[in-house]
Amino acid sequence: MVNSVYDENRVISTSPVIVIGAGLGGLGAACQLVLRGETVLLLEKHNVPGGFATSFVRGRFEFEGALHELSDIGTQDNKGSLYRFLERLGVVPNKLRFKHIPEFYRSVYLDGFDVTMPLGVDEYREKLIELFPAEKKGIEEFMEMCGAVLKGIKYIASKGGKFKPQEVLKEHPWLPRISGITLSELYNKFFTDKKLISLISQLWGYLGLPPERINAYAFIAMLIFYLNWGAAFPLGRSHSLVNAMVEAFEKLGGEIRYNALVNRILVENNKVCGVELLNGDVYKCKAVISNVNPICTAMKMLPPEVVPDEYKKKIYAPEIGPSGFSVYIGLNRSYKDLGLTAHETFINEKYDINVAFEMFNKLEAPKYIVAACYNHIYEDISPPGTTQLVLTTLQMGKLWQSVPPDQYFHIKDEIANSMVTLVENTICPEIRENIEVAVAATPLTYYRYSKNIEGAIYGTTQDVTNGPLLRLKSRGAISGLYQVGAWTNFGGGFSSTILGGRIASGMYLKDKIEGRW
Amino acid sequence: MMEDIKKYQKAEKLKKQREETQAIPWYYDGLENLCDRIHPGSQLLKITDIKALSHDTKLFRLISAKKNKPLAPFRAGQYIGLIVEINGVRTSRPYSIVSSPNQLAYYELGIRKKEDGFVSPYFFENAKVGDIFEVTEPLGNLSYNSMFHGKDLVYIAGGCGITPFISMLRDISERAIPLNVSLIYGCLTEKDILFRDELEDMQKRRSNIKTNFILSEPESDWKGECGFITRDKILNEIGSIKDKYFYIVGNLPMYQFIKEEMKELGVSKHRIYYEAFGVPDDITQVMGWPTEINSSKKVNISIKFRKYSKTEKIEFEAYCTEPLINSLERTKNLALYVNNGCRSGECALCRTKMISGKVFVPPEVTIREVDKDFGFIHPCISYPLTDIHLDLTLT
């Protein structure tokens, strides 16, 4: 039989729903679906699951690819929502163990200012007051506001999305209040000290925009989640979290296929009817959950005529966020000897974050980097007596579009080298002579493995018009298509994308019951 | 407070406006071009020239076989995996690029004929000008790393291991890079020395490049150094080990010898890079090999694989002393090529799921922890010790 949409002879199987991509969002969605008893096929283009959540080996070091501090895990008496999700999957406590990171972050400036901030709302507040006694009142009010935001988020979560806006406005006014302003505008209500603002904002690299541009809700939610539930790291690196999720998914009846690059989403009568792989294999289905970024999904994988212009405009309107530039370093010496005293260290040249942000637009030495040293909490992450240190900064991927291919290695080496120099000048003067392995990843590297437009690691930026409330939602360009991943729902980050994937599953199930497609 | 709420409503409005005024976009993936140039995955190359380098080594010049597809840039010291099909067996071998990284009109490979080898004798006898081959993109971690290698480099090459160093030296010489290099090049006899004229010429022209040939089985008229590359000879050549970085390329017996010499010299582990050399000639000589295993022992390999929509199974016998990937490739009716690059357990391209069985992996190869936990192996460097059950439907 000839079918105009696909070749009947190449049909391999039919399943109700297909998830494209075993990244964190795709896995979150797929796991939630099998938990609800759905039959799911998960297609992954790479030969390993996880997307950015991966690891790789160089010499005798196995490097963590992406994860710094996992939020939303919590403790036995105060479980975070990600932990509870993993619990339902049967991943924790038996298949995966977490190490808790004792401190929040260390912050270092080129002028010598060097402080380590603790986790816990009270501890964090007291440390800030100790450092900036003149701003005591503002700090207390600020932290109170953070607490109120957390209450609001918990309230909305408890209602499962069904809440009255009026009630939120009355009971949790801070929630709507911070949804439409920048973080700077929010700071102005509490304090003015530039140093204090810089110190609280250190996590801005996790979202990719400076306080003057970032949506206050996105930042405050992240901050308070860390303070309340702490930060953790999975034993076996982020890839063991992913593999444990895949194992749970398969145990619950899900099927995963690797080296399966989906080339086209097949559409019949404006409805999803299947997917076609690059090699021509066809898998039929009624719905697709796409972990591929929405731009690629809508503009490349779908037939162009089925995507409404409104949707195209919608996915292109927000600004595409930064990509990453990382240097993975294996040191032939213990972190204790080298003076690397914290798990997560933010290294800044100046207090003004805008200056550092400007560097995201240049192929030059960065002025803000994050140094993650895993050995403190996870001694075995590298061989005895050695240290694993990962330096990361952010950079706009589009800068690399105009790099001549024969200059690529040269520019890459220059930037990587400047990052090592910044570490040399601040937290670890002896770094260079102890390096055993050093390898850099550019936005092109991030692009290569994710195929995200411009190698963006957090999807679109979370500016005022694109915060968690206003971001692209899971329902995709056409009926039966759903989007997950950093580009949608709560945005980037490990727990945000995994839990955001659950939302897409919820919508799929709702639409299925209501017979929308 | 109402002011903030109004700001949210304004943001909502602004968002709508932004969406409405956005011109209907067309798809443009800006990094696709660069990605395709740097990481093309595979390339099609055509032989344009073959030249003898010595009695048993030939130089092959290859250009891109596709008109509009330039060759991928590489770092001096990297290799490409050359894919060949011999009597229906599709396999690949890594070969270092000899030519300079400063031009991409062609790659040159120096291939030595290994008498009992599978690919090199075939390539040596059969390959001719005009032949087209598929190769991988440039791979490998042997190259100058400005983050920590410093300014004083020591290259130690054994035999055909000189090839990556030729590319590295050409790069340094052509761009006048301010690095001091001492090359210590060990060969059997005088006629085995490759690129001798060029190396001597480079030494003359560049004060920062020093070369020294050491022959282990020289003829009586050889005036240079003789013997193995011992610690004394190294020290004699480089003065002191302080701030030096060592690159070593050769074969396993040479590595075993040099490792001891390095230890005696007091060179720290993190100042030496040993290039992956492929699989050892005799795995039973590798440290950790279970001596109770008879070297002629055969085991059963059963494989699940996918042919279109059907899952099929086959079984065949394999030698314990041969890497799994070689046995796989020889199973012609499988008609399945396991992607691979380095054939040394480094690049992870051949990662495969093992359902049951036990394999031996040389101790210096690092495999990801999760792969160990979830039963994934690199068949290019895994030797079957028991009956093995592989699942290729996943890959």
Side-chain angles (χ1 to χ4, degrees):
Chain A
M1 194 190 109
V2 181
N3 185 307
S4 56
V5 181
Y6 53 86
D7 181 355
E8 287 280 354
N9 297 318
R10 298 303 301 266
V11 173
I12 299 224
S13 70
T14 306
S15 40
V17 53
I18 287 175
V19 180
I20 306 173
L24 294 167
L27 272 174
C31 285
Q32 174 74 2
L33 286 173
V34 289
L35 272 178
R36 299 285 297 269
E38 294 290 313
T39 309
V40 188
L41 174 64
L42 177 52
L43 300 172
E44 165 59 42
K45 74 178 169 99
H46 209 53
N47 67 354
V48 288
F52 288 141
T54 190
S55 65
F56 62 93
V57 169
R58 282 290 182 283
R60 50 182 182 145
F61 292 87
E62 181 180 343
F63 289 105
E64 163 62 44
L67 182 61
H68 288 223
E69 302 192 312
L70 189 60
S71 79
D72 233 3
I73 293 299
T75 57
Q76 279 307 314
D77 340 310
N78 181 25
K79 290 174 186 167
S81 44
L82 179 59
Y83 189 88
R84 278 181 274 128
F85 180 52
L86 295 174
E87 204 167 43
R88 278 172 50 221
L89 278 171
V91 166
V92 284
N94 295 325
K95 303 271 171 179
L96 185 69
R97 286 197 303 126
F98 290 100
K99 283 273 190 178
H100 290 276
I101 298 162
E103 72 285 325
F104 195 1
Y105 57 83
R106 177 181 170 196
S107 185
V108 177
Y109 294 80
L110 213 49
D111 68 359
F113 184 63
D114 180 349
V115 26
T116 302
M117 298 304 295
L119 281 162
V121 179
D122 297 333
E123 291 84 348
Y124 192 76
R125 182 185 52 229
E126 292 317 310
K127 184 80 191 179
L128 286 178
I129 293 172
E130 179 199 319
L131 290 166
F132 303 95
E135 300 270 12
K136 183 167 187 281
K137 189 167 165 287
I139 292 167
E140 279 169 347
E141 284 171 6
F142 177 79
M143 296 309 293
E144 221 167 274
M145 178 272 304
C146 289
V149 169
L150 182 63
K151 260 189 207 149
I153 294 173
K154 279 182 173 168
Y155 167 80
I156 289 180
S158 71
K159 294 279 167 196
K162 291 182 204 88
F163 54 87
K164 289 197 189 92
Q166 260 59 39
E167 210 164 319
V168 176
L169 197 58
K170 200 169 139 240
E171 298 292 326
H172 305 282
W174 271 116
L175 224 45
R177 278 185 74 181
I178 62 168
S179 296
I181 58 174
T182 64
L183 187 57
S184 284
E185 285 174 295
L186 181 66
Y187 284 148
N188 290 340
K189 298 180 198 296
F190 301 100
F191 27 66
T192 50
D193 191 317
K194 289 257 159 29
K195 231 168 150 170
L196 170 63
I197 285 172
S198 182
L199 183 61
I200 297 178
S201 307
Q202 285 295 279
L203 260 60
W204 71 282
Y206 290 5
L207 294 168
L209 279 183
E212 276 183 23
R213 302 240 353 251
I214 190 76
N215 179 292
Y217 184 1
F219 188 88
I220 297 298
M222 175 177 70
L223 181 71
I224 193 68
F225 269 54
Y226 273 121
L227 289 175
N228 195 50
W229 283 290
F233 192 82
L235 283 182
R237 305 168 189 80
S238 66
H239 209 230
S240 66
L241 163 72
V242 167
N243 269 283
M245 283 177 78
V246 169
E247 205 182 41
F249 168 73
E250 287 182 302
K251 222 178 206 166
L252 289 163
E255 194 191 339
I256 183 163
R257 198 153 292 177
Y258 299 102
N259 293 336
L261 174 63
V262 175
N263 199 30
R264 292 199 298 146
I265 296 171
L266 305 171
V267 178
E268 215 167 15
N269 304 326
N270 268 320
K271 279 180 194 164
V272 170
C273 70
V275 299
E276 187 188 81
L277 304 193
L278 192 64
N279 66 9
D281 287 353
V282 171
Y283 293 90
K284 285 168 67 178
C285 65
K286 288 213 170 107
V288 161
I289 295 180
S290 173
N291 194 181
V292 182
N293 70 79
I295 293 179
C296 202
T297 308
M299 307 295 283
K300 203 177 164 191
M301 296 165 77
L302 282 173
E305 66 279 4
V306 304
V307 183
D309 286 348
E310 290 69 49
Y311 191 78
K312 288 185 191 168
K313 289 175 167 185
K314 199 169 169 165
I315 51 174
Y316 268 96
E319 201 181 327
I320 292 170
S323 184
F325 192 110
S326 304
V327 187
Y328 300 88
I329 299 174
L331 296 155
N332 187 23
R333 196 143 164 220
S334 161
Y335 64 96
K336 290 175 197 150
D337 300 342
L338 291 165
L340 296 165
T341 60
H343 178 89
E344 184 82 332
T345 307
F346 295 97
I347 304 171
N348 307 268
E349 238 187 69
K350 303 236 158 56
Y351 292 95
D352 188 350
I353 288 170
N354 290 319
V355 175
F357 180 64
E358 273 168 33
M359 298 313 291
F360 290 6
N361 278 308
K362 289 178 190 158
L363 290 173
E364 287 169 25
K367 293 187 168 161
Y368 164 84
I369 65 172
V370 194
C373 176
Y374 302 96
N375 296 68
H376 293 271
I377 52 155
Y378 186 2
E379 191 82 47
D380 298 340
I381 199 163
S382 62
T386 67
T387 304
Q388 179 174 140
L389 185 72
V390 180
L391 314 178
T392 305
T393 189
L394 302 178
Q395 216 175 45
M396 293 303 167
K398 57 174 170 249
L399 292 176
W400 291 80
Q401 290 177 9
S402 45
V403 166
D406 56 354
Q407 288 297 304
Y408 174 75
F409 296 124
H410 176 69
I411 296 171
K412 178 176 174 174
D413 291 352
E414 290 276 297
I415 295 171
N417 232 322
S418 73
M419 287 164 72
V420 176
T421 306
L422 191 54
V423 173
E424 209 171 17
N425 293 339
T426 50
I427 59 170
C428 186
E430 294 166 292
I431 181 169
R432 255 182 230 276
E433 61 244 46
N434 290 293
I435 297 179
E436 179 170 323
V437 182
V439 45
T442 67
L444 187 77
T445 318
Y446 286 103
Y447 167 81
R448 181 185 170 202
Y449 289 109
S450 70
K451 286 280 139 68
N452 273 348
I453 296 287
E454 295 177 15
I457 54 175
Y458 305 137
T460 48
T461 58
Q462 304 224 33
D463 63 13
V464 180
T465 63
N466 203 36
L469 297 188
L470 293 174
R471 269 173 102 73
L472 193 68
K473 298 290 179 280
S474 274
R475 282 204 183 86
I478 59 167
S479 178
L481 177 63
Y482 302 85
Q483 292 288 156
V484 294
W487 303 68
T488 60
N489 296 321
F490 317 123
F494 270 66
S495 72
S496 308
T497 33
I498 294 173
L499 298 177
R502 285 198 320 182
I503 296 183
S505 305
M507 285 186 183
Y508 160 80
L509 290 166
K510 191 162 172 262
D511 291 356
K512 187 182 162 191
I513 292 161
E514 289 171 8
R516 284 218 201 182
W517 28 261
Chain B
M1 176 181 137
M2 282 324 283
E3 219 174 281
D4 292 336
I5 310 276
K6 264 188 202 136
K7 273 189 184 150
Y8 177 68
Q9 288 160 347
K10 210 171 124 195
E12 232 176 347
K13 232 186 244 163
L14 194 71
K15 183 186 161 65
K16 255 206 184 119
Q17 207 181 0
R18 202 151 83 161
E19 281 167 12
E20 275 159 15
T21 50
Q22 168 81 37
I24 294 177
W26 55 286
Y27 184 71
Y28 173 64
D29 190 354
L31 286 175
E32 206 173 9
N33 273 331
L34 184 66
C35 191
D36 196 39
R37 282 299 311 279
I38 306 284
H39 299 294
S42 72
Q43 314 182 77
L44 274 187
L45 304 188
K46 187 161 83 181
I47 300 180
T48 59
D49 200 15
I50 305 172
K51 181 169 108 181
L53 280 177
S54 77
H55 63 100
D56 63 353
T57 309
K58 278 184 187 174
L59 184 74
F60 295 83
R61 180 175 287 191
L62 301 121
I63 63 163
S64 174
K66 283 188 179 163
K67 252 191 187 154
N68 301 320
K69 188 113 184 154
L71 297 178
F74 64 98
R75 289 181 189 270
Q78 285 191 307
Y79 64 84
I80 51 174
L82 185 74
I83 300 164
V84 287
E85 205 170 313
I86 306 170
N87 304 326
V89 176
R90 193 169 139 91
T91 183
S92 93
R93 292 292 181 274
Y95 291 109
S96 297
I97 304 173
V98 182
S99 51
S100 154
N102 300 317
Q103 63 81 27
L104 294 170
Y106 56 81
Y107 295 152
E108 277 176 346
L109 307 177
I111 300 180
R112 193 179 77 104
K113 185 174 169 186
K114 214 168 129 189
E115 281 308 333
D116 53 345
F118 183 60
V119 174
S120 67
Y122 168 85
F123 207 78
F124 214 78
E125 310 293 342
N126 299 43
K128 55 185 188 302
V129 170
D131 283 1
I132 290 178
F133 291 92
E134 188 183 341
V135 305
T136 64
E137 64 185 46
L139 299 167
N141 305 321
L142 170 73
S143 62
Y144 177 68
N145 188 327
S146 57
M147 280 187 262
F148 67 103
H149 287 182
K151 296 280 173 212
D152 300 313
L153 314 175
V154 183
Y155 295 172
I156 301 178
C160 203
I162 190 70
T163 47
F165 291 132
I166 295 296
S167 182
M168 292 163 89
L169 286 168
R170 283 174 174 171
D171 189 26
I172 290 172
S173 170
E174 283 167 15
R175 293 199 287 142
I177 304 172
L179 295 171
N180 304 313
V181 183
S182 286
L183 168 71
I184 303 170
Y185 181 15
C187 288
L188 277 175
T189 65
E190 207 169 339
K191 67 180 177 122
D192 293 304
I193 302 175
L194 306 177
F195 301 100
R196 185 174 176 178
D197 294 346
E198 186 175 345
L199 287 170
E200 281 174 346
D201 181 53
M202 245 189 262
Q203 171 162 251
K204 253 180 245 155
R205 284 186 295 107
R206 294 279 177 215
S207 59
N208 57 338
I209 296 174
K210 254 174 48 179
T211 60
N212 189 17
F213 306 112
I214 300 178
L215 300 183
S216 57
E217 294 168 19
E219 314 275 318
S220 53
D221 58 345
W222 172 249
K223 295 197 182 62
E225 295 228 46
C226 308
F228 288 138
I229 303 172
T230 58
R231 68 196 86 144
D232 298 335
K233 291 204 181 86
I234 296 170
L235 209 55
N236 193 27
E237 188 64 22
I238 64 173
S240 105
I241 62 157
K242 196 176 172 291
D243 296 332
K244 299 276 195 306
Y245 192 87
F246 295 80
Y247 306 78
I248 298 161
V249 185
N251 53 21
L252 186 67
M254 173 187 160
Y255 285 7
Q256 282 167 341
F257 181 80
I258 292 275
K259 246 176 206 160
E260 278 307 305
E261 302 301 295
M262 286 288 155
K263 212 191 257 169
E264 289 296 322
L265 280 172
V267 182
S268 171
K269 210 174 178 165
H270 73 283
R271 302 296 297 168
I272 316 170
Y273 183 84
Y274 293 93
E275 171 68 333
F277 52 82
V279 294
D281 284 340
D282 183 0
I283 186 68
T284 60
Q285 296 302 309
V286 171
M287 207 180 64
W289 173 262
T291 42
E292 69 275 12
I293 301 267
N294 185 328
S295 62
S296 59
K297 187 187 164 186
K298 279 182 166 186
V299 293
N300 255 325
I301 313 286
S302 63
I303 293 176
K304 224 167 52 168
F305 67 103
R306 202 180 295 278
K307 207 169 188 180
Y308 295 112
S309 55
K310 285 187 221 86
T311 302
E312 297 189 8
K313 260 187 184 172
I314 56 159
E315 271 188 39
F316 59 90
E317 281 195 325
Y319 284 106
C320 290
T321 48
E322 193 176 44
L324 257 174
I325 201 165
N326 296 30
S327 312
L328 274 171
E329 284 168 345
R330 219 171 302 118
T331 320
K332 290 175 202 169
N333 53 341
L334 185 62
L336 206 135
Y337 173 71
V338 181
N339 194 13
N340 67 87
C342 67
R343 293 184 94 93
S344 310
E346 223 183 57
C347 71
L349 286 175
C350 63
R351 180 180 179 269
T352 301
K353 172 90 175 174
M354 180 170 74
I355 298 168
S356 68
K358 201 172 165 236
V359 293
F360 172 74
V361 178
E364 64 272 14
V365 177
T366 310
I367 305 277
R368 299 191 313 161
E369 266 177 54
V370 270
D371 285 353
K372 274 186 227 153
D373 295 349
F374 290 82
F376 284 91
I377 58 167
H378 294 171
C380 73
I381 196 76
S382 299
Y383 295 80
L385 298 178
T386 63
D387 289 352
I388 302 281
H389 190 183
L390 296 179
D391 185 355
L392 293 181
T393 59
L394 293 168
T395 48

